[in-house]
Amino acid sequence: AMGTSAVSVLINHDENIPSNSSQFVYPVLLFGGGLLTFLDTYRSKPIGTYSKLPGLDDGPVEQTAFDRKLGYKIGMEIHHGIFMFLFWLVLLVGSITLIGRGYDNKYLEIFEIFYRTGSLVFGGGVVIVPMLQNEVVPKWMTDDQFFQGLGLAQSMPGPFFNFASFLGGTYAGLPGAIVANLGLMGPGFILIFAMLPFWSKARHYAWFQAIIKGLNASAIGLIGGGCVFLYAKSVRDAADAIVFVLCGGLASFYKFGAPQTIAMGALIGAGFAAFNLGHLPY
């Protein structure tokens, strides 16, 4: 987690590293995290703590009643999962290829950006912020507009990915908002169905549980790096910093919910703006 967090901060804050490198580096970091925990399970004294489950050499695992019930509810076999994975891959490669060959259509452009981002993002919504900023600023909007939209999306109910609707709508109206949301949500929707037929079998093996543990740790690191990125981009003067500290305290220590915390932040920020306080660079 610490390693992935440090790398994610570095690649988004170094002028010598291409701004779009995160879309390639993030999957490598996650793969590395899963590989490290997988290898750690074979050490005589593992660093981590892992479940005592069957290993690679223990042969096939008999399905439990829960596995059979889950498989019945899903209604998907292994070949269905393979088809869903190929469907995801065709959409990804096809959209990238069309854009790369100069096919000029703004809705395809929107879909390609958000589908590619949605296919490569792991760890939650915060992780996608620097990736999307690199794609849409300054072509579609300014930095200020980007973060104003982020604040607006965060103040609304629903998933973080609603931010995609704002970005797509700013560029191409309501159709653009719909295409952006479908593009960003689509990969996760398709891949979860691609994975489900394999899940009931793989979850019983220690190697698979170890890989999941490494992926989770790496994803947490990416979320931490995303928070650093948001702070550096959003907190520009003393007033911003004070709002951050007060709202962080309300959420962390007084257990304010997200809507109440956002409302309090808006009120405090409005007070600073009304009296022109705290606007020296922080």
Side-chain angles (χ1 to χ4, degrees):
M2 291 186 294
T4 55
S5 182
V7 174
S8 66
V9 170
L10 176 64
I11 63 176
N12 288 300
H13 294 84
D14 190 285
E15 60 183 10
N16 297 316
I17 299 176
S19 59
N20 63 346
S21 60
S22 57
Q23 61 186 304
F24 309 108
V25 175
Y26 285 3
V28 171
L29 291 174
L30 287 158
F31 175 80
L35 179 62
L36 285 175
T37 48
F38 172 74
L39 295 176
D40 188 43
T41 59
Y42 289 91
R43 288 165 48 92
S44 57
K45 294 182 179 180
I47 298 174
T49 303
Y50 306 100
S51 303
K52 299 297 183 181
L53 299 172
L56 287 170
D57 301 325
D58 294 327
V61 176
E62 184 178 352
Q63 285 192 321
T64 64
F66 174 80
D67 294 329
R68 289 189 291 271
K69 184 178 180 181
L70 180 63
Y72 175 77
K73 285 184 176 181
I74 295 171
M76 295 180 67
E77 302 293 339
I78 297 295
H79 64 275
H80 294 133
I82 295 173
F83 172 79
M84 294 297 287
F85 176 78
L86 292 175
F87 178 60
W88 162 79
L89 188 62
V90 167
L91 286 177
L92 178 63
V93 175
S95 60
I96 292 174
T97 302
L98 287 174
I99 291 296
R101 292 189 174 183
Y103 190 84
D104 187 18
N105 182 287
K106 64 180 178 180
Y107 299 113
L108 176 61
E109 179 188 2
I110 293 171
F111 180 81
E112 188 274 333
I113 288 174
F114 286 91
Y115 192 84
R116 172 165 45 83
T117 302
S119 297
L120 299 174
V121 64
F122 299 84
V126 176
V127 180
I128 71 171
V129 174
M131 300 174 72
L132 288 178
Q133 187 196 29
N134 292 331
E135 297 285 353
V136 306
V137 176
K139 184 177 181 180
W140 296 3
M141 64 191 67
T142 65
D143 235 6
D144 286 340
Q145 291 171 332
F146 181 87
F147 285 103
Q148 287 166 4
L150 177 61
L152 177 65
Q154 286 287 75
S155 66
M156 298 293 175
F160 183 91
F161 283 179
N162 283 343
F163 183 40
S165 297
F166 169 82
L167 298 177
T170 301
Y171 183 53
L174 179 60
I178 295 173
V179 171
N181 222 329
L182 289 175
L184 197 61
M185 299 287 282
F189 181 81
I190 295 171
L191 288 174
I192 194 67
F193 279 99
M195 183 62 192
L196 281 175
F198 302 93
W199 174 256
S200 60
K201 298 180 182 294
R203 71 187 186 92
H204 292 291
Y205 289 98
W207 62 268
F208 183 76
Q209 295 279 13
I211 290 173
I212 294 297
K213 198 167 189 175
L215 291 175
N216 287 338
S218 299
I220 290 171
L222 294 180
I223 293 172
C227 291
V228 173
F229 174 85
L230 282 177
Y231 183 89
K233 292 289 185 178
S234 303
V235 178
R236 300 180 178 180
D237 55 31
D240 293 339
I242 293 170
V243 171
F244 170 79
V245 171
L246 293 178
C247 290
L250 291 175
S252 301
F253 300 108
Y254 294 98
K255 309 303 179 185
F256 274 46
Q260 295 89 347
T261 303
I262 291 170
M264 288 298 297
L267 289 174
I268 297 169
F272 281 120
F275 293 98
N276 196 29
L277 296 173
H279 294 300
L280 288 176
Y282 176 71

